[in-house]
Amino acid sequence: MDTLWRDLVVQDYEISRPASTLLEFDLYTTSLMSWPATWMNDPTPFGVLRRPGIVDIDRSVHDHLVRRLADHLADPARAQTFVTRAVSHRERTAAALVRAEKALADGSTATAGTALAEATAAFLPVMSTHIVNWLLPEPQWESLLTRLLGGKERARACLLALATPAETGHLLAAHQEVVQAVLSVRGGAELGTAAADLASRIGTLYGEGTPAARAMPYEDPARAAAFVQALAASSDLEAEFRQIAAARARTTALREAWEAAALLAAAGDPDAVARVRAIVTILTWACDSEERRKVLRHSYLSAVRRWCQIQGLDPATLTTSDILAAGAAA
């Protein structure tokens, strides 16, 4: 939550994420202060840590770096390079978490610690993309599209369509997995096996609070099984898949139509075409990135919590530096 106070922009996660542990505050504030170095090779820190969860950013520094970001992402080649790097960090995080989960299941705490350190190193840049996402130059984009499309309402409709995730959002995707589990049980699959598989894949996504501090309800296969049984009483679950597919098809068609309209409106102006292409590249990535980051964040926090329990550590007091150091020492 940004608050302007005199010449400071205050980012206060104690207000916006009150249930967070020290590790979560550390993830957000470390990635917040380092995003210029991570994504623009600019060593200027984005603020100073007041205490875990709160960063004070000089307003002149804030405004300068946000302007630099707008310029940086205005070029379609740089925009594509940014997206390629961001996706690579996301994939590295996911792969490291798979290794960590396997090690935890095998009882190999040292291997799990090494994998979690690798996941931490890859995930901090992913968290920095979250900061970039909130600093995207949407007012400038709206101004450009207003000029090209002939009105502010059309510009906003275009931006909204372009900001629709190309892939199914994480909660809807998780719901589809639940429905699929129900249908498999109806088809004869063993309930316990289906529920355990479901718990391992989407269990961290449902429930109040944070998986850094305690297990989410459906991380427990028994509760996942009860959930599957309750949904099994529902009728015509297959219709949900058809409705979801139809809705996704409509939003995809709308996004493609607005992308074509913006490019056609920019035709004849090479600079405008380049800027529209950059907007499309960044927005297509940005909305999907937030969906994928949420899944990775919950998986990461859950894995760290379980590793701490095995090690006899307190997950509420751990920081990213502690995890990186433990991985290096393993």
Side-chain angles (χ1 to χ4, degrees):
M1 177 178 289
D2 288 340
T3 303
L4 184 61
W5 184 77
R6 295 184 179 176
D7 291 324
L8 289 178
V9 177
V10 181
Q11 184 69 39
D12 191 338
Y13 292 106
E14 290 182 355
I15 294 175
S16 60
R17 306 193 62 82
S20 293
T21 62
L22 178 61
L23 176 58
E24 287 181 276
F25 283 148
D26 184 32
L27 281 171
Y28 278 96
T29 54
T30 298
S31 59
L32 173 74
M33 292 186 293
S34 63
W35 77 260
T38 301
W39 296 109
M40 297 193 302
N41 294 318
D42 189 323
T44 308
F46 196 64
V48 177
L49 186 69
R50 186 195 307 179
R51 64 171 182 266
I54 302 180
V55 175
D56 295 326
I57 310 158
D58 184 274
R59 188 175 184 180
S60 63
V61 171
H62 175 282
D63 293 348
H64 167 70
L65 288 172
V66 170
R67 283 194 300 270
R68 274 212 62 200
L69 177 65
D71 293 340
H72 187 78
L73 297 181
D75 177 73
R78 283 200 301 261
Q80 186 56 60
T81 298
F82 175 94
V83 168
T84 300
R85 283 188 60 210
V87 171
S88 175
H89 281 296
R90 208 168 65 202
E91 291 174 345
R92 285 174 51 210
T93 304
L97 287 174
V98 169
R99 293 194 294 274
E101 290 290 352
K102 184 178 185 305
L104 288 170
D106 294 341
S108 178
T109 54
T111 302
T114 300
L116 285 173
E118 293 171 359
T120 302
F123 191 46
L124 282 168
V126 174
M127 290 294 293
S128 281
T129 62
H130 164 68
I131 308 304
V132 170
N133 216 328
W134 284 104
L135 298 175
L136 293 177
E138 293 181 12
Q140 293 95 311
W141 293 350
E142 182 180 311
S143 177
L144 171 67
L145 292 173
T146 296
R147 176 171 65 82
L148 294 176
L149 298 171
K152 183 172 290 189
E153 292 305 313
R154 286 176 59 79
R156 289 177 175 174
C158 180
L159 285 172
L160 181 61
L162 294 176
T164 302
E167 303 295 329
T168 305
H170 72 277
L171 287 177
L172 184 56
H175 177 68
Q176 286 180 289
E177 294 212 40
V178 172
V179 172
Q180 189 61 60
V182 172
L183 293 175
S184 71
V185 170
R186 281 184 177 179
E190 199 272 321
L191 174 62
T193 301
D197 182 55
L198 189 66
S200 69
R201 286 187 288 116
I202 59 95
T204 62
L205 295 179
Y206 286 93
E208 298 293 328
T210 168
R214 63 187 63 83
M216 295 289 97
Y218 297 114
E219 287 186 58
D220 178 2
R223 296 188 70 169
F227 187 29
V228 169
Q229 284 183 310
L231 283 180
S234 302
S235 61
D236 199 11
L237 290 175
E238 292 86 349
E240 288 198 36
F241 284 115
R242 294 193 295 272
Q243 292 166 0
I244 291 169
R248 293 295 308 159
R250 288 194 300 271
T251 58
T252 298
L254 185 62
R255 183 178 62 251
E256 292 173 349
W258 274 113
E259 178 181 346
L263 287 169
L264 284 171
D269 182 342
D271 180 64
V273 169
R275 291 181 65 191
V276 168
R277 290 193 184 281
I279 291 169
V280 170
T281 296
I282 291 297
L283 275 181
T284 300
W285 160 79
C287 52
D288 184 63
S289 176
E290 282 301 281
E291 296 291 334
R292 307 286 79 81
R293 184 188 66 85
K294 171 70 177 293
V295 175
L296 288 174
R297 188 187 78 213
H298 276 225
S299 296
Y300 172 80
L301 294 173
S302 173
V304 169
R305 184 196 74 240
R306 286 178 281 123
W307 176 71
C308 285
Q309 290 170 344
I310 295 171
Q311 296 280 82
L313 302 172
D314 183 358
T317 62
L318 211 63
T319 67
T320 54
S321 295
D322 295 329
I323 300 171
L324 291 169

